Amino acid sequence: MSRIGKITKRTGSRYLSFYEFEAIHRDGRISPYYVASRNPDPGTLKAVTHQNKPDGVILYGVYGEKMDKVVLIRQYRYPLGDFVYEFPAGLVEPGESMLQAGIREMYEETGLVFSPKEGGSYSRPFFTTIGMTDESCGMVFGYCSGEPNNLHQEASEDIQVVIADREECRRILAEENVAIMCAYMLMHFIASDADPLAFLEG
C-alpha cells in the first residue's frame, strides 16, 4: 500500500506553505511528491491528522423575490492573469464556523446580507484540487438580500459583483473562465425549477 514517509517544509507564507513528501509507492519505490497547503507546519497537514477541517467556504446565494437569480463574482486571479467567474468565497478564520465565515465573506465581497439555509451533509467540507493540495472547502447555501456593492472589499481584491439569471448563467458557462465548483452549481441552477435550494430539504 502506498504511504508517506518524511515530510519536509520547503517554504511558507501567511496563506500558503509548500511541502516535500517522501512518497513510498506500493511497489516500494520512493520519490518526492510536492504539496501546497493552508496548514503552517507538517503536524497540521491533513495527511498527518486525517481531520478534514475546512480551510475555506464557498457561498451559493440565491437572489430575488422569485429566487431566479444567483450571486456570482467576477474576480481577477493572478495564477490565470485574467478574470474568472466564481461564487463568493473565502477562508474560515480561527474560531469561526462555516456559517459565520459565509455571512462575513458574502458581506465583504458583495455587500449583500446572507441568510444561510441548513445544508446537512451537502455543507460538510470537500476536497478541492487533491493532486496538489490538501485544501478543503465547505459550501454554504442561502438567500441574499440588499443592494450589491464593493464598499467592504479589500484593496488587494479586484471583484465585480454579478447577479445572474439563468440565461446569463448559460452565457457565462459557454463563453467565460469559470471555477469548476461554480460551473457545476450553475448547471444545477439552470436545471432547477422554482427555489434552487429545494434539494436541501430532500
Side-chain angles (χ1 to χ4, degrees), residues 12-31:
S13 66
R14 179 181 175 187
Y15 295 109
L16 196 64
S17 295
F18 187 62
Y19 297 89
E20 181 178 329
F21 284 19
E22 182 184 56
I24 304 171
H25 303 284
R26 58 183 178 148
D27 62 1
R29 290 181 303 112
I30 297 175
S31 65

Side-chain angles (χ1 to χ4, degrees), residues 1 86 159 175:
M1 184 181 84
E86 310 171 59
I159 295 174
E175 300 176 6

Side-chain angles (χ1 to χ4, degrees), residues 74-77 80-86 158-160 176-178:
R74 182 175 179 267
Q75 181 168 198
Y76 186 86
R77 290 296 195 178
L80 301 182
D82 203 350
F83 284 88
V84 62
Y85 282 80
E86 310 171 59
D158 191 350
I159 295 174
Q160 301 159 8
E176 304 287 355
N177 294 326
V178 186

